[in-house]
């Protein structure tokens, strides 16, 4: 279905190497491609450590890995 005023999404795919920071790499890819609005629609991979900010805390909690990424989505 097509609606008037809709925009067309452009998809960008990139790969991170072992040891690269996930969040920094996503932001850098957006900056390099001059994106003003972006979202992550999928991801596959693993992490050697993770930093998670829980709802009741202002600072992230760092957790040692390894971790498998089973889902990743959200706005950037």
């Amino acid at each position: 279905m097509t609606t008037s005023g809709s925009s067309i999404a452009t998809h960008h795919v990139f790969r991170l190497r072992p040891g690269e920071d996930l969040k920094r790499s996503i932001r850098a890819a957006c900056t390099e491609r001059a994106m003003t609005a972006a979202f992550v629609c999928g991801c596959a991979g693993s992490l050697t450590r993770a930093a998670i900010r829980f709802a009741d805390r202002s600072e992230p909690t760092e957790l040692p890995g390894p971790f498998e990424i089973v889902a990743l989505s959200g706005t950037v």
Side-chain angles (χ1 to χ4, degrees), residues 8-52:
I8 297 174
T10 302
H11 297 82
H12 298 267
V13 178
F14 64 98
R15 179 183 173 136
L16 277 64
R17 300 288 177 200
E20 289 185 281
D21 185 276
L22 178 63
K23 186 176 177 181
R24 283 189 198 126
S25 296
I26 292 170
R27 286 187 175 182
C30 291
T31 300
E32 289 168 9
R33 293 165 174 83
M35 294 180 203
T36 57
F39 68 96
V40 175
C41 62
C43 176
S46 61
L47 301 171
T48 55
R49 61 186 172 83
I52 300 174

